Structures are given as structure tokens and as C-alpha cells.
Amino acid sequence: MDPFLLGIRGFASVVILLALRVPIAFCLGSVAVACTFLFYAWPHGGEFNGPAGWRSATTILTSNSYDFVHSFELTMVPLFILLSQVAYHAGITTDIYNSARVWLARVPGGLAIASILGCGGFSAITGSSVACAAAMGRICTPEMLKAGYGQRLATSSVAVGGTLGSLIPPSVPFILYGIFTETSISKLFLAGILPGIISLVGYIVVVFIWVKINPNEAPAFTEEKRPGDRRRAAMRAWPAVLLFLIIVVGIYGGVFTTTEAAGISAVTAVLLGVVLRRLSFASFILSLRETAYQTAMIFMIVFGAKIFVSFISLTGVSPWLIAEVQAANASDWIVIAILCLMFLVLGMFLDPIGILLLTLPVSIPLVENMGLNLIWFGVIVVKLLEIGLITPPVGLNAFIIKAVGGKDIQIHSIFAGISRFLIAEVVILVILLLFPILSLMIPNTMY
């Protein structure tokens, strides 16, 4: 069988299985194993040899399994997930929201802005957009509705704020991107800081404009505060700030590797929870259980993706695609625009990790061939994954807010509110594309 046609059919099979709602880990893994078997069992111009195909397929399967399990860098995934779970159950991740809520009590739209800042704080010590939206949605949305906020603003601000979990370090998508592209995860983390702040500021600007145009969406102020409340609220957020500094300052200053920062911050979160008497034994066990569940889910997807990448490398699809782009004399910007469109379309239907691991075998060879910076491209990819989390018809974060918000929350209200933020998302994406220095400024100064 022709290797190139086999590669095309493999991609098509994955797309069809995904359309049938088959979990992406099983899509990638099963198609890769089956196609690898056919590649060796039925060589182009040769006779069918089942035993040879089976031996080769199982060899690739076992070797990829071994390499995957023994990947030292991948150990930071469960560590950062444990950090997020412990910080959430200990109440550390909500401290920034509570502090911002006190400081912005008299600002129109203050609770919505505090929710976005809370999501930013949650993201700064976690790494999962979905977890951020689920946790903050349970806390922020009911408070805003109780305070008289419109449903569109109360739900969409948390859904959009939750996307910051992918961009502000630590970030699981950055970890997986770094492993598969063999780029520095430390530099990827640092590259996401400034774009993450720009995104956060952009969301706040949207809230300001929204409330200015339609004051009925948010009350002028929410509640009276006693003298000293602001100071106490700010002081209460110090555990979250400490964890963020351990990760970012430790990595930037060369004190820790990224994996060491993951381990130290996770242990610190546990110690803070115990010392401050915020983490019970039952909550700690629950954190471990959630960590095991999320880690297993991510590892299954990555395992399937590694096999799929090995299969694609055999077929010659990537060199063919590069040759076609060169023959078309397409400019770098046209290629980048096509890749962005691909990520945006896939983001409407698939989860971010699935999109990332499905597209890397095709997109990275193109970017490397154009001589573009893979750190910068990683930021662009993660930003596109963020946009996919809030883009209809799937918009995973929107459905999470609907699930945690209860039956009174309408999904069309969430997407109606999100549409205002999508304008800001497009503007931010264009800025990051036009000015790569915004992504590369901090990692370029790293020791």
C-alpha cells in the first residue's frame, strides 16, 4: 500500500471517528496501530505479510510506551495537577477573587472584573482552563447573579476568564507542546506571561465598555466594606502569590528546573493547607483522586498521540505538505493564517489537548521549514486553543459554566455574552501575531 495514501486515510479515519464522538485517545491509538500494521504488512509493491506487520506494529507500540513512561519532563503534569487540586480544596485559588471582590466593590462591573482576576490567579497556580472554569464558575457566577448582574455578563466573564488557565503558567498545553516539539518548557512558561496579562487586561476592558454602554447589566456597587477590609483581603492572598513566585521566579532565575518547580510548589501547597488549617485529610485524599483521574486521562491521549506521530513520520505526509507549500510560493503569513484557521475550526468541536496533539505532526514541520520561532508559535497555538474553548457550537468552557450554574442558566445567554469577548480575542491574537517580541521578551532574558 502506498505510504502517502495510507497516511491520508489514517488522518481521514481519525476525523471520522472523532465525528462519531469516539474518545480522542482511542481514535489516535487505534488508527495508528492499525495503519502501522498495514504499512509493514503490506509494503508498497510487495506481498501481504501479516506476521511481519504485527511484529513491527507491536515493536513500535511497546517502544513508544517505554519512551513515554520514562519521559522525565512528563512527571510535571501530575505534579501541577496536584498543585491545582490542593490549592483549590485549601481555598488558596479563591483568595485572589475574594481580595479583588473587596477592592472592586464600588466599581461598576466590579464583581465581573474580580471574577476575571480570580480566574487569572487560579490560572497562575494551576494550568487547566477547564478546571479553572469549573472551580470559579461555582463561586463567581452565583455571587454575580445574587448581586443583580445580568446572566450574560455573569456567565461569560467566568467562561472567558477560565481560558487563562492555558496561557498563564503553569500550563498543561505548554508542557505537552514542549515535549512533542522538543522546545524548552521553561521558556514556554515564561513566554505565556505577557500574552496572558494582555488577555486578562483585554477581558477587563470588555467588561468596562459593556457596563458603560449597558449599565443595567451590573449594579454600580455591590456591598459596603468596613475599614481595614481591603488590607485584610490583600493579606489573605499571600499563599497564592507565594506559589506563583515559586514557579515563575524560580524558573526565570534558574533556581529550579520546570519539573523541580512543579514538585516544590505542590509540596508547598500541601504544607500551606496543613499549616493554615485549610486542608483536611479527606480533602487531600480527594485531591489525590482527582489528580490520578486527570493524569490518566491526559496520559492516555498523549500515549495515543505518540503512536500516531510515529505513524505519520513513516508515511511522508509532512515532507509532501512542505513541498506543496513551497511549490505554491505561499508567503509565511498565508501559511500562518491557514494554520490559525485550522486551529479555530477544530476548536469549535474538539478539546484543546486533542487538537494540540492531532495537529502538531502537520503544523510543526511547516513552521520549522519557514524558520519561525517555535516558542512564539507555541504561544499562538495555545491562544488559539483558548479561543476554541469559548467558540460555539461546542465551546467547552460555556457548557462547563452551564453545568455548574444550574438549570436556570441558559447556554444561549452564555454564548451571547461570549460574543463580546471574542472581538477582543481576535484583536489580541492579531497583536501577538504582529509583534512576536511580546511572547519572546521574557524568555529571551532568561538565564
Side-chain angles (χ1 to χ4, degrees):
M1 183 176 293
D2 183 84
F4 174 75
L5 291 178
L6 184 61
I8 296 298
R9 289 168 182 170
F11 263 112
S13 300
V14 169
V15 172
I16 293 172
L17 290 174
L18 289 173
L20 296 174
R21 312 306 297 174
V22 177
I24 190 164
F26 298 105
C27 288
L28 295 174
S30 60
V31 170
V33 171
C35 290
T36 301
F37 168 77
L38 290 175
F39 179 87
Y40 287 104
W42 198 355
H44 187 52
E47 298 291 331
F48 182 81
N49 187 341
W54 177 250
R55 285 194 301 271
S56 300
T58 53
T59 298
I60 290 178
L61 181 64
T62 53
S63 63
N64 273 274
S65 303
Y66 181 86
D67 293 340
F68 170 73
V69 172
H70 287 77
S71 174
F72 178 72
E73 292 179 321
L74 207 58
T75 58
M76 72 182 74
V77 173
L79 291 173
F80 277 129
I81 294 175
L82 177 62
L83 166 64
S84 68
Q85 291 298 320
V86 171
Y88 170 68
H89 288 292
I92 296 174
T93 54
T94 58
D95 287 338
I96 292 179
Y97 164 70
N98 291 328
S99 178
R101 175 181 173 179
V102 173
W103 279 82
L104 300 170
R106 291 182 172 273
V107 176
L111 272 183
I113 297 172
S115 299
I116 293 172
L117 290 172
C119 290
F122 191 106
S123 304
I125 51 176
T126 56
S128 170
S129 295
V130 173
C132 182
M136 300 305 292
R138 293 187 180 96
I139 300 167
C140 305
T141 302
E143 290 293 328
M144 282 188 278
L145 294 175
K146 187 190 301 183
Y149 279 65
Q151 189 176 117
R152 291 181 299 176
L153 178 57
T155 55
S156 62
S157 58
V158 183
V160 173
T163 63
L164 295 169
S166 294
L167 199 55
I168 297 177
S171 167
V172 173
F174 273 145
I175 295 173
L176 299 180
Y177 178 91
I179 291 174
F180 274 81
T181 60
E182 298 182 354
T183 53
S184 170
I185 297 175
S186 297
K187 290 187 176 181
L188 285 168
F189 276 9
L190 297 175
I193 294 176
L194 193 53
I197 294 174
I198 293 172
S199 298
L200 187 146
V201 172
Y203 303 156
I204 293 175
V205 170
V206 171
V207 173
F208 270 121
I209 296 174
W210 189 347
V211 174
K212 186 71 174 179
I213 295 175
N214 191 355
N216 294 328
E217 284 288 332
F221 63 93
T222 56
E223 53 189 305
E224 294 289 341
K225 295 297 176 185
R226 297 185 299 274
D229 280 355
R230 288 186 172 184
R231 178 178 54 81
R232 285 190 292 270
M235 290 298 295
R236 189 173 173 82
W238 72 265
V241 176
L242 174 62
L243 291 173
F244 179 71
L245 290 177
I246 288 174
I247 296 170
V248 175
V249 177
I251 294 174
Y252 181 79
V255 181
F256 313 127
T257 65
T258 314
T259 306
E260 290 169 346
I264 292 172
S265 58
V267 172
T268 303
V270 174
L271 292 176
L272 287 172
V274 173
V275 172
L276 298 175
R277 297 184 179 180
R278 297 191 191 180
L279 184 68
S280 65
F281 181 74
S283 297
F284 179 65
I285 296 300
L286 181 60
S287 299
L288 292 177
R289 182 188 304 171
E290 288 295 321
T291 299
Y293 173 78
Q294 293 184 31
T295 301
M297 179 180 65
I298 293 173
F299 277 24
M300 284 294 293
I301 297 175
V302 177
F303 178 54
K306 284 186 70 69
I307 306 172
F308 190 74
V309 169
S310 298
F311 158 67
I312 291 300
S313 65
L314 294 172
T315 61
V317 170
S318 296
W320 171 83
L321 188 60
I322 292 173
E324 289 296 313
V325 171
Q326 291 174 337
N329 290 321
S331 69
D332 292 351
W333 284 111
I334 292 177
V335 176
I336 291 296
I338 293 173
L339 290 176
C340 289
L341 181 62
M342 176 184 70
F343 278 103
L344 288 174
V345 172
L346 290 174
M348 296 179 183
F349 304 99
L350 302 177
D351 67 279
I353 293 178
I355 297 170
L356 183 69
L357 300 180
L358 178 64
T359 55
L360 287 182
V362 176
S363 59
I364 293 303
L366 285 174
V367 174
E368 287 182 318
N369 184 66
M370 291 185 290
L372 299 178
N373 190 290
L374 288 182
I375 300 292
W376 166 77
F377 185 68
V379 173
I380 298 300
V381 167
V382 172
K383 184 61 185 174
L384 290 166
L385 296 178
E386 279 189 1
I387 297 174
L389 283 170
I390 55 174
T391 306
V394 175
L396 187 57
N397 272 19
F399 283 95
I400 287 173
I401 298 299
K402 162 65 178 173
V404 302
K407 61 181 180 180
D408 293 333
I409 301 295
Q410 303 297 320
I411 191 66
H412 63 81
S413 295
I414 303 176
F415 280 123
I418 285 174
S419 63
R420 292 163 170 79
F421 290 97
L422 283 176
I423 298 173
E425 291 281 36
V426 173
V427 173
I428 294 167
L429 176 63
V430 172
I431 291 173
L432 296 178
L433 284 169
L434 293 177
F435 302 100
I437 189 62
L438 295 174
S439 302
L440 301 176
M441 182 186 304
I442 298 178
N444 282 348
T445 62
M446 181 180 175
Y447 289 108

